[in-house]
């Protein structure tokens, strides 16, 4: 019998409890699932969310895994008490949701629907015809679980795609780059740029004046990754100058985005409230169950965080 602690948001226990049990039962685990414990050293696995109550992992001396319910791991990665292995969330619902968001906003920029939606009555914009998707390059910074899936969906639709990651990928349909030169190559060829990087010491401020200068004139930027990837003042300058034609921003340095932030009122910016994609309970609980099962079978956990790299 293994002891599993749910350390997600308490108000979601009524949803997550039954869902976790259903997934654990399906996979044949023998378990004791609890919301609280006075014997932390007896907990084998922790199902964790960064916005839950748990901040000190020190008493969980025998926990084999902390399974994050979020894809982003900035909060647990920065927690010095978390010395146990940490897995980030990878699940089909979260991945599909991100692809929907990215595809929708790439198409918005591609078809320039914002301009068409804002025309005045009688302003018949004859000749305002977008290029074909096959003539449009979408670049993705971050070719991980989400980035590569989105790149494939965009390629399926007909877009040209390229992307950048820390380690070089090889893919039939996505032109892959890595390293500083590779970043420059993606920036200079992308008509629409999607940010799906984690926020780490190496990626903070990657969208800065110096890198924006390498981009195509009129590039559109979509950021469902993390707010600190962007130097806001540099992006606003580039939007004002027309270097960047538009931005769809889902994540911000401070969330919720303060009401007086210029992004809210900038005519070329669409703010979305960190809703690009969210963990879907039922599919996520299957991921949790699978990882616990792997632990019990002595197999390598899936989606372990590289704490040195920060993601
Ligand atoms: P992931 O699988 O860990 O992928 C991260 C990608 O970024 C990898 O390709 C990685 O390269 C690359 N990368 C990291 N550091 C880099 C660096 N210094 N230089 C170049 N490439 C670098 O993560 P994921 O599951 O795809 O998620 C991506 C991010 O999306 C998350 O970290 C989170 O911030 C964000 N997210 C946002 C929402 C939302 O609702 N807005 C929802 C879910 C996730 P390697 O492949 O070489 O490791």
């Amino acid at each position: 019998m293994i002891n599993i602690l749910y350390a997600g948001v308490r108000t979601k226990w009524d949803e997550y409890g039954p869902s976790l049990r259903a997934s654990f039962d399906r996979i044949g685990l023998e378990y004791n699932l609890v919301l609280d414990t006075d014997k932390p050293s007896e907990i084998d696995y922790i199902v964790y969310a960064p916005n839950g109550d748990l901040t000190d992992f020190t008493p969980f001396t025998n926990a084999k895994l902390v399974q994050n319910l979020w894809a982003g791991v900035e909060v647990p990665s920065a927690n010095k008490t978390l010395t146990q292995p940490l897995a980030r969330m990878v699940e089909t619902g979260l991945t599909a949701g991100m692809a929907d968001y990215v595809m929708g906003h790439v198409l918005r920029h591609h078809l320039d629907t914002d301009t068409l939606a804002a025309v005045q009555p009688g302003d018949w914009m004859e000749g305002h015809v977008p290029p074909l998707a096959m003539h449009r390059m979408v670049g993705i910074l971050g070719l991980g679980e989400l980035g590569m899936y989105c790149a494939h969906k965009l390629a399926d639709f007909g877009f040209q795609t390229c992307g950048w990651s820390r380690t070089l990928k090889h893919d039939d349909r996505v032109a892959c780059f890595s390293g500083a030169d590779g970043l420059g190559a993606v920036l200079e060829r992308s008509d629409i740029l999607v940010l799906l990087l984690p926020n780490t010491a190496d990626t903070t401020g990657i969208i800065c004046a110096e890198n924006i200068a390498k981009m195509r004139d009129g590039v559109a930027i979509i950021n469902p990754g993390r707010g600190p990837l962007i130097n806001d003042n540099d992006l606003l300058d580039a939007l004002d100058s027309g270097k960047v034609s538009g931005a769809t921003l889902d994540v911000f340095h401070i969330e919720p985005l303060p009401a007086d932030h210029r992004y809210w009122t900038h005519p070329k910016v669409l703010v979305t409230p960190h809703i690009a994609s969210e963990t879907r309970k039922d599919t996520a609980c299957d991921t949790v169950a699978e990882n616990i099962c792997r632990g019990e079978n002595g197999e390598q956990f899936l989606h372990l965080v590289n704490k040195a790299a920060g993601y």
Side-chain angles (χ1 to χ4, degrees):
M1 178 75 73
I2 52 173
N3 293 314
I4 304 170
L5 175 70
Y6 171 82
V9 175
R10 273 181 177 267
T11 52
K12 292 197 171 176
W13 168 244
D14 286 349
E15 296 168 40
Y16 266 91
S19 231
L20 285 166
R21 286 198 174 90
S23 296
F24 296 160
D25 290 343
R26 245 190 323 271
I27 214 161
L29 286 175
E30 289 196 15
Y31 62 92
N32 177 33
L33 175 65
V34 296
L35 176 61
D36 291 297
T37 181
D38 53 8
K39 293 183 182 143
S41 64
E42 293 183 8
I43 294 295
D44 298 291
Y45 296 92
I46 301 174
V47 181
Y48 164 81
N51 55 350
D53 297 336
L54 180 57
T55 52
D56 183 6
F57 291 83
T58 318
F60 298 94
T61 46
N62 292 306
K64 299 171 198 164
L65 179 72
V66 175
Q67 171 67 61
N68 198 21
L69 286 171
W70 295 10
V73 292
E74 287 84 358
V75 173
S77 292
N79 187 329
K80 297 275 182 273
T81 70
L82 204 170
T83 53
Q84 300 85 347
L86 169 68
R88 67 207 170 76
M89 179 49 65
V90 175
E91 59 96 1
T92 53
L94 182 72
T95 305
M98 185 58 81
D100 289 355
Y101 181 92
V102 168
M103 180 64 77
H105 291 285
V106 163
L107 283 171
R108 227 187 79 238
H109 289 290
H110 170 61
L111 299 174
D112 197 15
T113 49
D114 288 11
T115 301
L116 294 164
V119 293
Q120 297 303 307
D123 188 1
W124 186 251
M125 294 186 71
E126 197 170 341
H128 195 73
V129 179
L132 297 173
M134 70 173 84
H135 297 140
R136 191 82 93 172
M137 175 67 84
V138 183
I140 302 195
L141 301 188
L143 286 178
E145 290 292 334
L146 301 179
M148 189 58 98
Y149 187 83
C150 290
H152 285 157
K153 286 285 176 190
L154 292 160
D156 288 346
F157 190 85
F159 286 105
Q160 297 177 37
T161 53
C162 64
W164 183 69
S165 52
R166 198 161 60 93
T167 54
L168 185 61
K169 310 283 182 260
H170 301 278
D171 193 89
D172 290 345
R173 291 181 291 156
V174 184
C176 297
F177 297 89
S178 65
D181 291 349
L183 175 61
V186 172
L187 296 180
E188 73 188 23
R189 68 190 66 196
S190 299
D191 299 303
I192 299 170
L193 188 68
V194 181
L195 312 182
L196 276 169
L197 291 164
N199 178 35
T200 69
D202 294 333
T203 62
T204 296
I206 197 162
I207 303 304
C208 58
E210 186 186 346
N211 281 333
I212 291 172
K214 297 175 188 163
M215 297 179 197
R216 288 193 164 183
D217 291 343
V219 63
I221 295 176
I222 300 171
N223 184 18
R226 281 292 180 261
L229 299 174
I230 294 180
N231 178 317
D232 289 341
N233 287 332
D234 290 358
L235 177 60
L236 284 161
D237 286 348
L239 286 158
D240 289 340
S241 74
K243 173 74 184 177
V244 175
S245 63
T248 301
L249 307 175
D250 187 56
V251 283
F252 304 92
H253 286 259
I254 298 171
E255 295 182 10
L257 183 67
D260 61 354
H261 198 286
R262 271 190 70 202
Y263 282 148
W264 281 113
T265 51
H266 199 289
K268 295 179 182 169
V269 175
L270 176 68
V271 170
T272 60
H274 201 144
I275 46 75
S277 188
E278 117 175 332
T279 300
R280 306 291 162 147
K281 173 176 54 70
D282 292 337
T283 35
C285 289
D286 284 346
T287 291
V288 175
E290 186 187 351
N291 235 0
I292 292 176
C293 203
R294 290 178 79 93
E296 290 310 287
N297 291 337
E299 296 167 34
Q300 173 90 18
F301 290 117
L302 297 173
H303 319 305
L304 282 179
V305 172
N306 174 344
K307 290 183 184 171
Y311 69 99

